[in-house]
Amino acid sequence: MRAELIRIEDPLKEKEKMELASRIIRCGGTVIFPTETVYGLGANGLDPEAAYNIYQAKGRPSDNPLILHIADMEMLGLVARNLGEKALKLAEVFWPGPLTMVFDKQDIVPAETTGGLSTVAVRMPGNEVARELIRLSDTPIAAPSANISGRPSITMWEDAVEEMGERVDAILLSEPSEVGLESTIVDMTEDIPVILRPGKIGLSELEAVVGPVRVDKAVLGQGDAPKAPGMKYTHYSPNASVYVIKGEGMVERILEEYQKYREEDPVIFAMEKHRQHYEGLKLYSLGATSLEAAKVLFSYLRKADREGHGIVLMENVGEDEVGLAVMNRAEKAAGGKLIYANSKGKMHKRNGVNRI
Ligand code: TXA
Ligand code: MG
């Protein structure tokens, strides 16, 4: 184990431990830290070499830009320009919290952090440990999700230690992530803000604050090159094959697929209200609401691998805004293996993605 493991209960009281972590950041090292969305793999966002260390640790393509995490509005001015009134309103309502905004970057932000783009993504996290770490490090912290590139994001320190223990300088051991899905990303460089990645904060919440907001076509599966470069890569993939099942007759179809794949030891990710339909079968409960499902999805994908399941059969968790964000991640994990329950198993292609 190369990483220093630092347990944090209360970031404001445990000054020495927080100092140690911030010293590693100031010296150009890498620290995995909790946020309310998912755990982040952080380094000094204004230091090109530190940013390089992040790409190395994750095995991430270097054209995929990082999010800068800030502790206060002063840091926002340091890294971003042409902020505009709408962004300030969104910041006032949703920061600190699970919202990332994209702005024109200031010169101080190195090209290594932004993957060569002239824009920069910025978030003020709600998690106290995260904000205290940024404050003590006295620099914006660049942090992608803490997983190896292409794997499911990490929401619990145990998964961080298992996957990244040999790859980073320190890991802060803290609470599981409250939201469980990465932040909503909104591009603020256009007159009408554009959602580049869906998350807990949905379209209607954003529109209630700033009026009309668009959703990037790539998010809707309409084939444009995504404006958030990271959205084009294979994502969230466990070793198990994931199938997402939607539509009328969903439960019956899952039962059929379960029998079909029996030899590969399938597990069903199901809403709690459907538990009784799957009696005697292997099941992880997604809870009662899409919010509860969001919180457990990534850790379940990892658990399925740990327990040796070859197949995951995942229910649709709902069409509300958080539900759509959850299904956006699930469908990426499935790599296009989306089954419409009433489609009688025929494969057809839409938008270049195989649908069964
Ligand atoms: O909740 C989150 O956002 C977590 C936590 C750690 O804060 N971070 C996270 O980072 O999800 P990452 O690197 O896994 O995803 C960042 C996404 C990528 O899809 C990236 O392409 C996009 O943000 N992105 C970053 N900078 C961008 C920019 N200037 N313009 C457009 N997209 C950008
Ligand atoms: Mg990620």
Side-chain angles (χ1 to χ4, degrees), residues 37-38 40 60 64-67 69 102 117 119-121 123 143-145 182-183 185 196-197 227-231:
T37 55
V38 298
R60 174 170 170 132
N64 191 359
L66 308 172
I67 295 175
H69 295 68
V102 174
L117 296 178
T119 54
V120 62
R123 179 161 97 84
S145 50
E182 308 87 347
S183 57
I185 303 181
L196 304 184
R197 180 175 70 184
K227 248 192 113 179
M231 300 288 278

Side-chain angles (χ1 to χ4, degrees), residues 73 76 83-93 101 188:
M73 291 303 278
L76 177 61
L83 301 182
E85 206 176 307
K86 288 181 184 174
L88 295 178
K89 276 193 192 161
L90 290 176
E92 199 175 311
V93 175
M101 288 191 270
M188 301 305 294

Side-chain angles (χ1 to χ4, degrees), residues 15 27 60 104 111 167 171 196 208 221 244 268 352:
K15 289 236 179 311
C27 294
R60 174 170 170 132
D104 292 328
R167 292 171 168 252
I171 301 177
L196 304 184
V244 168
I268 301 166

Side-chain angles (χ1 to χ4, degrees), residues 93-114:
V93 175
F94 296 111
W95 279 357
L99 176 69
T100 295
M101 288 191 270
V102 174
F103 301 104
D104 292 328
K105 81 175 187 72
Q106 296 279 20
D107 292 341
I108 196 173
V109 181
E112 285 77 3
T113 297
T114 63

